Amino acid sequence: MMRVEGVTTVTDADFDTEVLGAGLPVLVKFTADWCGPCRQLAPVLGAVAEEEADRLKIVQLDVDRNPEVTLRYGVMATPTLMVFRAGEPVKSMVGARPKRRLLQELEDVLAPA
């Protein structure tokens, strides 16, 4: 899986702690090594992670290596971006998108600065 600055990798084992227990809203990128659009999205998420570090945590989860969380949230396609706030999924988006569009779509779920 691609290493992206500012984006942590989570697994079935630590998902509940890292995502559901986080103080900030968390954007989870459900990804796979073979997914082209996932690779396109990586630098976008890296930039957003850097810019919005005080309002949003970004993590990625490999769907092939972590079937439990993938099934729990009904993820059927990659990349799926799911935002969790206070332990609950509050938004879901499928597919790569440019940074400006992603930031617009996230505006309503970001923590106040």
Side-chain angles (χ1 to χ4, degrees), residues 2-72:
M2 276 186 78
R3 286 249 158 254
V4 182
E5 194 67 36
V7 177
T8 310
T9 298
V10 296
T11 65
D12 281 348
D14 63 6
F15 183 87
D16 288 6
T17 304
E18 292 292 323
V19 176
L20 304 185
L24 287 174
V26 182
L27 173 82
V28 180
K29 174 189 173 194
F30 290 88
T31 187
D33 288 339
W34 45 263
C35 168
C38 297
R39 286 192 292 274
Q40 291 174 325
L41 193 57
V44 171
L45 289 181
V48 171
E50 199 174 289
E51 284 176 28
E52 300 293 343
D54 55 341
R55 300 199 299 161
L56 181 71
K57 176 179 176 179
I58 300 181
V59 302
Q60 60 184 358
L61 180 119
D62 185 302
V63 297
D64 293 327
R65 294 187 186 101
N66 299 282
E68 184 185 302
V69 170
T70 303
L71 284 170
R72 188 191 320 170

